[in-house]
Every structure is written in C-alpha cells, then in structure tokens.
Amino acid sequence: MTHPQDPRESGADGRRLQVETHGLDVIGDAARKGTPRTLFWPWFGANVSVLGLSYGAFAFGFGISFWQALVAGIVGIVVSFLLCGFIAVAGKRGSAPTMVLSRAAYGVRGNRLPSVISWMLTVGWETVLTALATLATATVFDRLGWGGGSETKIVALMVVAALTVVGGVMGFDLIMRLQTVITVVTGVLTIVYVALVADHVHWGTVSAVPAGSAQEFIGALVFMMTGFGLGWVNAAADYSRYLPRGSSSRGVIGWTTFGASVAPLLLLVFGLLLAGSSATLSKAIAADPIGALTTILPTWFLVPFAVVAVLGLVGGAVLDIYSSGLALLSAGLRVPRYLAALFDGVLMIAGSIYIVFFADDFLGQFMGFLTTLGVPIAAWCGVMLADLALRRRDYDEGDLFRPHGRYGDIAALPLLLTLAATAVGWGLVTNTAASWLTWQGYLLGPFGLGGKSGAWAYANLGVLVALALAFLGTLLLGRRRVREQEAKAPSQAAGEGAYST
C-alpha cells in the first residue's frame, strides 16, 4: 500500500481509500514519503478542539491568577509537545510505531509493560473525547428545543463512535485526509466562536482573580503537561515513521511541536479570559466542558458550534484509536491492526456510555485519570528520551522484532527504573475527587511535604519526579548497553512474517 507524499495531495491521483495493511511492521523505503512539514496537519487537527477553551477553567480550579495560569499553560503545553517532537525523531530513524521503537530500550517482550500502559492511556483519551462530543451534541440539541435527553445522547454517541472507529480501522491515509479537513473547518469556525463571545470577556474581573501559591502554580503546570503533550508522547512516532529516513530531525521536532501547540495555546488564552470573567461559567465547564461553552452563544450558531466541537474531538479520538490499536499489538495481541482498532472502539463505546449516563463528576474523574496514568507514561517518556539521546545510529529494524537480537528479550534496568519511578510518582500525587485514587500520596508525609492535606498535596510533583528519575537513571546507567547494541553488525531486515509481539 502506498502513502501520500503530502496529505493535501491525497486522492489527487484517483486512488481508492482502503484499509491500511501496515501494523507493527517497518515502513519500507518506497512508502516513506513527504517532508516534516506534513506533520503539521495531523497534530494541529488533533489538538484544535474547543476543549482547549475549557482548560482555562481547569487552570483556575487550582486557585491561581490569570497570569499564573497563562505561564503554566504556555510552559506546560510547549514543553510537553516538545517531548513529543523529540520522540517523533525516533519514528523517522526507525520507521516503526512508537511502541515498537520502545523495544530498543525495554527489550522485545519487556516492552509489553509500557505497551499495556500506553494502550490504557490512549483508550482512556479516546473514551473521554467521544463522551465529550456526545455531551456537547446533547447540550446543543437541548438549547435548540430539539430534545437533549437519552435518545439524543444515544444517537450522538453512535455517530461520533462510528466516525472515530471508521477512521481508526481504515488507518493512515484516511486519517491524514480527515485531519486536513478538520484543521480547516474547525479552525475557521473556532475563530467565529471567539468573535461571537468576545463581549463576555471582562478584563477587570479576570485581572482581579487572586494569585495562588507556588505549589498551586506547579499543580496547574503539571496538569497542563499531562492534559496535552504527555497524553501524546506514547504515539509521537506513529506518523513520523512514514517520513524518509533522511528527513531533518530539527524539522520533525519543530513541525510536531508547532502543529500540536499553536491551537491549544490560542484556545487556552481565550478560555482563561472567559472563565476568569464568570465564576458561574467556570463552574459549569467543570461539569460539562464543551456544552457549557454553548450557554453564551447566539442560537443561530449552535449548530455550527456542534460541528466544530464534534469534529475537533473526533480529530483527537481518531489519532488515539489508531495508536491504541498499535499499542495493543505491541503488548502481544496477534490480530490484524484493524481488528485491534475495532476492539478498542468497543471499549471506547462502553467507557463513553459510563461517562455520559452514569458518572457524576467528570472533572474529578478526568484529573484522576490524567495524573494516575500520567506518572507511568512520564517514566516511560524519561527512559525513551534518554535512550534516544544515547543512540548515535538508526535502529536495527530486524532486531526490533527478534527477542534474541541486539535489543534482547527483557531488559531489567529500564523496567526497574520505570516501576521505581512510578512508585515514587504515585506517592507524590493526590486526587480526592476520585474515590478510587485515595491510596495515592503515600510519600507526601514521609518526604516532609505536609501529607495528603498539605500545601504540596495537589502540586502533582509525582509526574515531574517520575520523568526526571527515569531519564537520569537511563542516561547514567544505560550508556554501556546502547554502545554494545550499536557495535554489532546490522541484522537482516524484518520481513512480513517477523515476530511481531
């Protein structure tokens, strides 16, 4: 199967869309096309969602001022997506999915642990996005008097789920075309939304929001990191793997970071202005992050808003379901990629039903989900970044699929570092709004940070600590292993029948 040189050129030659046959296999030289700038489209399309506006209310929930929230948002968004850019370099150096390239650090079968965590995170994100799109649609229909009850939610969920699952099952070609359309449509309609509600911004009220403590600022910053880039690092190489191996690494980093960051940054600024202008709106966003934004819209723009909300959320969910299918294969499931994506779609629908019809506190559960899985993903990211920094050569494609190759079967050091960093990280995060997470924060007392009710309880230090511990540990202790791997002669390339789990 061939792939488009530029997503905007897809279909120009009259080719039919078909289900992508690539799974965990390495993309051959003939199919590696395009330039780093083509990465702008999928990353922008996946992050242009109006959910970015709601992060303004989320940030104020930490008890900080507008300027503190703005700095936390800028730093958190840019730095976290910069991490995605660094890991995306591995894609063009190895032309395999992110969680296959991770085998170089963890071993072929040792990598199953981070693959399972990655799978859980991406399934969780696609579930959240699908549920939000369903709730937003129901809110719009209710305001229009068309009925926003259970029947509307069921139909909306079916439509959103169908769009997401079809995109994930069809694969790369359809996703790239879809993301280009989403980028244009949502970009234009979001600008219209901002223009229509600009008169709801009251700078005097926003500027009067009192400043918070350093701990509250750090908590907001970490939340921004986990809500944006750290939610994507485990999929960062899934699209750069289609680029030629000789593509500019700086270009890959730059276009990934820019494409992913630019929309969230702009949306966050306006979201802060809106939420800071109305405590009522800010509180409503916590319960229904997208639907609450419709309460300040004129009736005639409700349908276009529903379109922009659904498309933006679907854009992110499609990338998630594609990557979650790849992560599930890397975890050991032996089925075609499209069946893995379909299986994840079923789980996504089940999870969305729970959020839409049964969950009482969306924001509490959402924050708990982000911080809990954000810790082990941050640890994996630290290992991956350090391992990538230590390498001087491209990955050996064949040995990524051979337990007895240079990367080994199970690498003890990175696994132990990941588990240790996660254990420390979970001991330094809390979330009292989610009852199933009250066991966390067990190190806040022993480390002299005031316990689960002290000033540091909601700073979410565990995410940063896990990232730093795993990165430094791998950088200090993993150099010899990497040098031994790179000293070996190239192996035979992995064929279609290569070991793939």
Side-chain angles (χ1 to χ4, degrees), residues 397-470:
E397 298 171 358
D399 280 350
L400 287 170
F401 299 88
R402 299 188 183 99
H404 302 295
R406 73 189 63 221
Y407 302 124
D409 189 11
I410 299 175
L413 175 64
L415 284 170
L416 290 174
L417 281 173
T418 301
L419 292 173
T422 299
V424 174
W426 278 341
L428 296 174
V429 298
T430 60
N431 191 309
T432 56
S435 59
W436 50 283
L437 295 175
T438 55
W439 56 271
Q440 294 177 348
Y442 45 81
L443 293 179
L444 290 167
F447 282 12
L449 298 174
K452 296 183 181 181
S453 59
W456 289 98
Y458 302 102
N460 292 326
L461 285 178
V463 176
L464 298 179
V465 170
L467 176 65
L469 286 177

Side-chain angles (χ1 to χ4, degrees), residues 8-32:
R8 292 167 294 180
E9 298 170 2
S10 301
D13 56 2
R15 288 185 294 106
R16 294 185 298 109
L17 277 175
Q18 51 188 317
V19 176
E20 181 186 357
T21 57
H22 287 302
L24 299 185
D25 52 307
V26 172
I27 305 301
D29 289 334
R32 296 174 191 158

Side-chain angles (χ1 to χ4, degrees), residues 128-173:
V128 166
L129 296 176
T130 300
L132 286 176
T134 302
L135 291 171
T137 304
T139 300
V140 169
F141 273 56
D142 183 58
R143 280 206 62 199
L144 289 170
W146 298 349
S150 297
E151 296 83 0
T152 300
K153 292 177 181 177
I154 291 171
V155 174
L157 177 58
M158 292 174 60
V159 172
V160 172
L163 289 172
T164 302
V165 173
V166 169
V169 169
M170 292 296 291
F172 181 83
D173 267 351

Side-chain angles (χ1 to χ4, degrees), residues 104-387:
Y106 287 88
V108 175
R109 284 189 283 202
N111 190 60
R112 288 181 175 179
L113 175 62
S115 293
V116 169
I117 297 171
S118 173
W119 172 72
M120 292 172 62
L121 181 64
T122 45
V123 169
W125 263 113
E126 68 203 44
T127 300
V128 166
L129 296 176
T130 300
L132 286 176
T134 302
L135 291 171
T137 304
T139 300
V140 169
F141 273 56
D142 183 58
R143 280 206 62 199
L144 289 170
W146 298 349
S150 297
E151 296 83 0
T152 300
K153 292 177 181 177
I154 291 171
V155 174
L157 177 58
M158 292 174 60
V159 172
V160 172
L163 289 172
T164 302
V165 173
V166 169
V169 169
M170 292 296 291
F172 181 83
D173 267 351
L174 179 59
I175 288 174
M176 294 300 274
R177 300 186 198 191
L178 180 64
Q179 296 299 74
T180 306
V181 173
I182 288 174
T183 296
V184 175
V185 175
T186 55
V188 171
L189 291 179
T190 300
I191 292 173
V192 176
Y193 175 88
V194 169
L196 289 173
V197 301
D199 60 344
H200 288 269
V201 173
H202 306 291
W203 175 245
T205 305
V206 175
S207 60
V209 176
S213 65
Q215 295 92 333
E216 291 167 332
F217 170 79
I218 294 172
L221 186 150
V222 176
F223 179 75
M224 291 294 176
M225 292 183 67
T226 54
F228 288 100
L230 281 180
W232 287 109
V233 287
N234 53 312
D238 291 354
Y239 303 93
S240 56
R241 67 178 175 139
Y242 290 93
L243 294 176
R245 200 182 299 274
S247 299
S248 166
S249 294
R250 290 184 179 181
V252 170
I253 295 170
W255 283 106
T256 297
T257 306
F258 176 67
S261 298
V262 62
L265 286 173
L266 296 174
L267 291 168
L268 173 69
V269 171
F270 195 73
L272 287 171
L273 293 172
L274 281 177
S277 299
S278 171
T280 301
L281 177 62
S282 186
K283 184 178 180 180
I285 288 174
D288 185 359
I290 305 296
L293 297 172
T294 68
T295 59
I296 54 177
L297 277 174
T299 304
W300 67 266
F301 192 71
L302 288 176
V303 171
F305 177 84
V307 171
V308 68
V310 170
L311 283 180
L313 294 167
V314 166
V318 165
L319 260 66
D320 276 320
I321 197 171
Y322 180 77
S323 293
S324 70
L326 294 175
L328 188 57
L329 296 180
S330 184
L333 185 65
R334 292 176 176 269
V335 297
R337 182 204 60 79
Y338 61 87
L339 287 182
L342 187 61
F343 173 73
D344 288 349
V346 173
L347 293 180
M348 175 192 75
I349 293 171
S352 298
I353 290 173
Y354 169 75
I355 293 176
V356 171
F357 295 100
F358 301 103
D360 295 325
D361 175 22
F362 171 81
L363 183 56
Q365 305 294 329
F366 181 52
M367 292 178 69
F369 165 72
L370 286 182
T371 54
T372 299
L373 287 185
V375 170
I377 283 297
W380 170 87
C381 182
V383 170
M384 188 69 176
L385 287 171
D387 182 80

